[in-house]
Amino acid sequence: MTTPDSTHRAVLLTVDDDPGVSRAVARDLRRRYGERYRVVRAESGESGLDALRQMKLRGDLVAVVLADYRMPQMNGIEFLEQAMDVYPGARRILLTAYADTGAAIDAINVVDLDHYLLKPWDPPEEKLYPVVDDLLESWLSSDHRPVPETKVVGHRWSARSSGVREFLARNQIPYRWYLSDQAEGRRLLDAAGHDGLRLPLVIAPGGEVLVEPSDQDLAAQVGLATTPAEEFYDLVVIGAGPAGLGAAVYGASEGLNTVLVERTATGGQAGQSARIENYLGFPDGVSGAQLTDRARRQASRFGAELLTACEVTALEVNGPTRTVRFADGTAVSAQSVILTTGVAYRMLDVPGIAELTGRGVYYGSALTEAAGCLDQDIYIVGGANSAGQAAVYLSRGAKSVTLLVRGQSLEASMSHYLIQQIAAIPTITVRTGTVVEAAHGEDHLEALTLRDTATGGTDMVDAQRLFVFIGAAPRTDWLEGVVRRDAHGFVVTGPDLAADGERPAGWEPDRPPYHLETSVPGVFAAGDVRSESAKRVASAVGEGAMAVMLVHRYLEGL
């Protein structure tokens, strides 16, 4: 037989409306199998089905279902027939009296019955245990792997289903994806009592069900912190990309009471990179997810608090206090703030794209959607490193990958090592001087119209997936009227604030702004959100660390 670890305490379910018989069956099962399996009993077919549905939602394993034939409202055959829909792999036993053996034989064809037992089954060593032993061995040799992760049931062309999967993946939450029109997806929908008209359906490891959840609801359900533990901090870091994670690590490690606030997921755009090969200290490269996970754990180990799914809407200056307000109406205050909100991918503004976003058109998301690209013709818009990394990654499973580049070459926008990699992969084609003119499809992307920028000629190509990496714009509208920004929305810092030799309007300290300090004393900016920054992972991390050093200098002057 097997060990406790290999069964993960799978369930043996017994269903009988006679309490005495029910207790006796459960007693005999526990006597022999109780150390390795969990014995659950129900006293009606309906309560047995309810128990199975709850176990299905939790991801529990059910090895054997034993049901009495003569039960009111729902007899044993009717029960087992419905139990098959929930746990088709569980072995099925019908408990019956001698007079009902004809019904038991019929049940072999109706519910694919594995065995029937006559009452009484004494002694169990001769009549019960050998049967259960054989069925357990049979069940163990089948695919009975547990599914303890969060489960997501959705449609392949549902934009919100794609968004939920991306949120979970980027936040390092293990999950299993089920299509709503396939057998196991339908079983989970039935177990949750939903018809599948509203998707996605998210089932937490404990069995709790969420329908079309928001990011904040999802974060709270899977155990991510969404509300601050305190009202006042030494340092609030807004944005958990490389710069923000670097600031959180150095801030917390140097004794500052630090909270890191992120609207979606840690890592920023770098966290979505399939492979970063030019980051110091990783000669074989590192994925954005791996780098993000290490940095997040490092920040937590030093005591930094991390909030997820928190959208910042305003920054207020109240004397020496800096107050950060959130979309849900709450706020947190601090002595200092570091802005590390990074940038967002620019939207591709052509006909059809907006309607098909999340349904074949994706911004980033290459890692999350890679499984759906198997043996397909994939198109990627963009000529910078993020587009090149996505092309290399997706080429491993896609039939072909076509990189659509507006410019006449990759040399001006992409690192040399990536250009070499792309040239060495036969399934990747680079079309320079090409833009997307329109996207076509009903419920999902089906085709693209491409235009040659030199000749103006167009052609239509079949396409099921389009990934867009066309530059970035800062998320800084909420800083309007508080912090100075340049014409493109990037935050101006340090010497650039006094380019004309004058200090910023309203500047009170008797000193010029520190190098990464904004037009508001005590508020700093680092990484891609900062005007004239290098837009590289290594420089963002370095700026995050430097900003903490300047925060210390600012606090010493208070």
Side-chain angles (χ1 to χ4, degrees):
M1 294 299 290
T2 186
T3 66
D5 285 343
S6 64
T7 62
H8 298 274
R9 293 278 288 174
V11 170
L12 310 180
L13 175 67
T14 172
V15 184
D16 198 306
D17 66 305
D18 185 327
V21 175
S22 177
R23 286 192 295 270
V25 174
R27 178 201 63 213
D28 286 345
L29 290 175
R30 288 193 182 100
R31 183 180 300 162
R32 183 174 179 92
Y33 307 105
E35 292 185 0
R36 294 164 291 162
Y37 295 86
R38 183 160 58 95
V39 177
V40 176
R41 68 185 186 92
E43 295 186 359
S44 71
E46 193 55 50
S47 64
L49 289 174
D50 286 342
L52 287 173
R53 293 186 189 108
Q54 290 300 314
M55 288 185 279
K56 185 73 172 181
L57 295 178
R58 290 194 301 267
D60 294 342
L61 301 172
V62 176
V64 175
V65 178
L66 192 155
D68 183 54
Y69 172 64
R70 291 200 176 192
M71 293 188 294
Q73 283 83 49
M74 182 187 300
N75 66 37
I77 296 175
E78 294 168 337
F79 165 76
L80 289 173
E81 190 171 10
Q82 294 190 51
M84 284 176 61
D85 294 334
V86 186
Y87 278 97
R91 300 305 185 252
R92 296 171 287 279
I93 302 175
L94 190 68
L95 190 61
T96 182
Y98 181 78
D100 298 319
T101 54
I105 294 171
D106 291 340
I108 293 175
N109 297 320
V110 175
V111 297
D112 193 21
L113 192 68
D114 293 293
H115 203 93
Y116 68 88
L117 284 174
L118 295 176
K119 295 188 287 187
W121 59 88
D122 290 328
E125 289 78 10
E126 295 181 11
K127 298 183 178 180
L128 176 65
Y129 297 154
V131 171
V132 176
D133 284 348
D134 287 345
L135 294 182
L136 287 175
E137 290 291 354
S138 171
W139 177 78
L140 286 167
S141 66
S142 66
D143 183 9
H144 63 278
R145 292 171 294 177
V147 186
E149 307 98 338
T150 295
K151 293 180 277 292
V152 180
V153 183
H155 192 278
R156 59 169 54 84
W157 302 122
S158 160
R160 185 54 190 154
S161 294
S162 176
V164 164
R165 294 171 62 198
E166 182 176 353
F167 180 88
L168 293 172
R170 292 185 59 194
N171 280 290
Q172 307 288 312
I173 303 298
Y175 74 93
R176 188 77 64 90
W177 165 245
Y178 299 91
L179 290 171
S180 59
D181 57 358
Q182 294 185 352
E184 189 64 13
R186 289 194 296 269
R187 291 188 191 103
L188 288 168
L189 288 172
D190 291 341
H194 286 268
D195 55 15
L197 295 179
R198 295 175 58 204
L199 294 172
L201 187 82
V202 179
I203 305 167
E208 300 85 358
V209 175
L210 301 176
V211 181
E212 295 179 320
S214 66
D215 283 355
Q216 191 161 29
D217 291 339
L218 195 57
Q221 185 61 63
V222 299
L224 299 174
T226 59
T227 57
E230 302 177 29
E231 295 181 356
F232 194 87
Y233 294 83
D234 296 325
L235 172 63
V236 175
V237 182
I238 305 174
L245 287 165
V249 167
Y250 282 94
S253 67
E254 293 175 11
L256 295 178
N257 186 13
T258 302
V259 60
L260 176 62
V261 180
E262 169 56 45
R263 68 190 299 267
T264 305
T266 51
Q269 286 190 348
Q272 296 177 276
S273 296
R275 203 82 185 155
I276 302 170
E277 299 197 47
N278 58 354
Y279 188 70
L280 184 67
F282 292 89
D284 299 319
V286 60
S287 73
Q290 289 173 320
L291 190 61
T292 296
D293 181 57
R294 293 181 182 187
R296 179 177 53 201
R297 288 189 285 112
Q298 192 174 18
S300 296
R301 183 169 66 86
F302 284 124
E305 182 181 341
L306 174 60
L307 304 182
T308 306
C310 291
E311 183 174 0
V312 177
T313 57
L315 174 65
E316 297 177 0
V317 179
N318 301 305
T321 298
R322 308 293 177 251
T323 299
V324 175
R325 297 202 173 275
F326 302 125
D328 63 1
T330 61
V332 66
S333 297
Q335 291 183 300
S336 59
V337 173
I338 301 178
L339 304 173
T340 55
T341 49
V343 291
Y345 289 115
R346 284 198 176 94
M347 308 300 284
L348 184 60
D349 187 16
V350 299
I353 287 291
E355 297 83 355
L356 296 173
T357 296
R359 296 185 292 156
V361 176
Y362 306 97
Y363 292 86
S365 305
L367 295 176
T368 307
E369 295 296 328
C373 299
L374 188 65
D375 296 325
Q376 292 192 359
D377 297 312
I378 307 304
Y379 289 81
I380 297 174
V381 181
N385 280 7
S386 54
Q389 290 164 349
V392 171
Y393 179 75
L394 293 173
S395 68
R396 299 172 186 173
K399 179 181 178 182
S400 71
V401 176
T402 302
L403 201 57
L404 306 174
V405 184
R406 178 184 291 271
Q408 296 306 309
S409 72
L410 292 174
E411 277 71 14
S413 56
M414 188 178 292
S415 295
H416 181 64
Y417 79 91
L418 266 177
I419 296 174
Q420 288 183 311
Q421 285 187 17
I422 289 171
I425 299 174
T427 54
I428 298 179
T429 300
V430 180
R431 288 185 57 167
T432 57
T434 304
V435 296
V436 175
E437 188 82 354
H440 313 277
E442 293 298 326
D443 65 336
H444 67 277
L445 179 67
E446 297 175 9
L448 295 170
T449 297
L450 306 180
R451 176 170 58 85
D452 187 305
T453 58
T455 66
T458 63
D459 64 309
M460 184 176 289
V461 295
D462 293 334
Q464 287 75 49
R465 294 287 197 288
L466 174 70
F467 297 91
V468 182
F469 303 86
I470 55 170
R475 295 190 181 105
T476 58
D477 291 346
W478 57 280
L479 292 169
E480 177 67 31
V482 180
V483 171
R484 185 188 295 182
R485 301 175 298 153
D486 66 17
H488 302 288
F490 293 93
V491 177
V492 181
T493 60
D496 292 336
L497 288 167
D500 55 2
E502 298 291 330
R503 293 179 182 176
W507 184 265
E508 296 182 358
D510 187 23
R511 60 170 178 80
Y514 295 130
H515 181 62
L516 299 179
E517 197 167 21
T518 71
S519 58
V520 176
V523 177
F524 299 81
D528 289 1
V529 74
R530 193 177 67 82
S531 181
E532 304 298 328
S533 64
K535 308 296 187 287
R536 287 290 185 268
V537 175
S539 62
V541 173
E543 287 190 6
M546 182 187 297
V548 171
M549 179 191 73
L550 298 173
V551 164
H552 279 292
R553 190 178 300 176
Y554 166 77
L555 295 177
E556 290 169 359
L558 290 180

